Amino acid sequence: MSTGTMPPLNAATRYCAVWGHPIRHSASPAMQNAGLAALGLDWRYLAFDVRPEQLATALEGARAMRFIGLNLTVPHKLLALELVDVLDESARIWGAVNTIRFEGRDEAGIWRPLAAFADALPESVRSHGFNTDAGALATSLREDLGIALAGARVLLLGAGGAGRAAALKLASENVACLYLVNRTITKATELASEIQTRHPGLRVQVGYPTETVDLVINATSYGLKPGDRSPLEGADFRLTQTGAVYDMIYRPAETPLLRAAQAAGCRTANGLGMLLHQGADALEIWTGQPAPRAIMRAALERNIYGV
Ligand code: ATR
């Protein structure tokens, strides 16, 4: 597929956007605009710094202006659960909304994506919330590390928003056992009991495994900042106990955890693949067309690593 060029901005240009607070360092506009250009769409993807207390107002604005769709990032993913008109199964199951599609009612009374309305935009519009993060994690683990989750033993670090969605996804993919570790232990305990209730057959344990595992996933934000170390430093767990390590952090490309894992001989991957697939899946939800993933990946790598 060609990388394409975007038509100049004009009065018929349609809009998507990512909202977060802060948002300045988001790589999504680079990735999504590359995807839109390759698809030859007269659309643009923008980024806005939206405060959480103004999320509802901003959503009303986007609906009134007939935006095609939105991505939401920190701190909006949980708040949006209460604000969208319809929740897709994915958002309900994973407990967060990272993608919104605006939909209009056609003449037959059927709700269709706003992308399907060319000239006359519909009078009544609703917001439909999805979650593409959890599926993107599984896709990236399979593609980047060759991991089949069914039957795998996994140590998951982090029980915040990202950790919770990852744990629920791993459980639904029938991992054999799940070890949960979090700085604030009560959060790991609460998450473990939630998962145990939903998946009674799964072995869930709070704390480090003594046995070997197939995969360690870092879903904490520790490793993002200069000066951060590996979240496993000083832990009762050696990297020789795992075959692979996945760090959801993608900036820096190589966190102290990934460096240590490579030194220990593990297969490693950072979170760029997850970022790519959550965005590409969102683009497909808005357009109904296959997303140009290779082009979007190249745009991400250029934006984040300058390569
Ligand atoms: P996200 O949506 O990115 O998951 P979050 O819900 O704020 O953001 O969760 C951040 C995660 O990183 C949590 O697991 C947090 O641990 P706590 O629950 O104890 O706060 C973890 N985290 C953040 N800073 C950390 C640090 N310095 N050391 C270890 N874990 C850290």
Side-chain angles (χ1 to χ4, degrees), residues 63 85-86 100-105 111-112 124-128:
R63 180 215 300 272
D85 299 317
V86 190
I100 292 176
R101 180 174 71 193
F102 290 102
E103 298 170 344
R105 219 199 279 266
W111 291 102
R112 297 194 187 285
S124 74
V125 172
R126 70 178 188 183
S127 54
H128 194 160

Side-chain angles (χ1 to χ4, degrees), residues 124-163:
S124 74
V125 172
R126 70 178 188 183
S127 54
H128 194 160
F130 298 77
N131 185 302
T132 65
D133 285 330
L137 172 64
T139 307
S140 180
L141 289 172
R142 192 174 57 244
E143 254 184 35
D144 300 328
L145 289 175
I147 296 271
L149 286 173
R153 287 160 303 175
V154 184
L155 164 60
L156 177 64
L157 309 174

Side-chain angles (χ1 to χ4, degrees), residues 74 77-78 157-164 181-185 187-188 218-225 228 231 248:
V74 178
K77 294 184 190 188
L78 296 183
L157 309 174
R164 181 172 176 279
V181 169
N182 195 54
R183 176 178 60 180
T184 312
I185 296 170
K187 274 163 73 178
N218 179 36
T220 77
S221 49
Y222 190 59
L224 265 174
K225 293 200 293 285
D228 280 358
M248 286 194 193

Side-chain angles (χ1 to χ4, degrees), residues 18-42:
V18 58
W19 294 351
H21 181 68
I23 199 66
R24 280 188 76 83
H25 297 291
S26 172
S28 290
M31 162 173 64
Q32 297 285 10
N33 283 309
L36 294 175
L39 292 176
L41 291 167
D42 182 12

